[in-house]
């Protein structure tokens, strides 16, 4: 059976980063796992940053269009 790819979600990504940080701060991970999880967190944060940047651009475009109505 082929698993369906889940749609990316900002809130879930932030939650995952928080879970990773808690695990790292908890001190229960081996060093190699710390680096592995840190890489996952960085990738998630980059996705979040890209998402927010795209949303900001959309808001700016909407505001420009709203200004054109005046």
């Amino acid at each position: 059976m082929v698993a369906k790819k889940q749609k990316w979600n900002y809130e879930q990504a932030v939650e995952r980063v928080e879970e990773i940080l808690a695990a790292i701060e908890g001190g229960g991970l081996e060093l190699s796992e710390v680096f592995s999880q840190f890489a996952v967190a960085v990738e998630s944060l980059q996705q979040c940053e890209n998402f927010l940047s795209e949303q900001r651009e959309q808001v700016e475009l909407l505001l420009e269009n709203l200004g054109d109505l005046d």
Side-chain angles (χ1 to χ4, degrees), residues 19-56:
E19 291 170 355
I20 290 170
L21 292 176
I24 291 172
E25 291 172 349
L29 299 176
E30 293 185 19
L31 188 57
S32 62
E33 187 64 18
V34 168
F35 288 118
S36 173
Q37 290 299 303
F38 183 75
V40 171
V42 168
E43 182 178 334
S44 291
L45 289 172
Q46 289 172 333
Q47 291 173 341
C48 289
E49 184 176 355
N50 290 340
F51 171 79
L52 291 174
S53 178
E54 290 171 6
Q55 297 308 306
R56 181 176 41 247

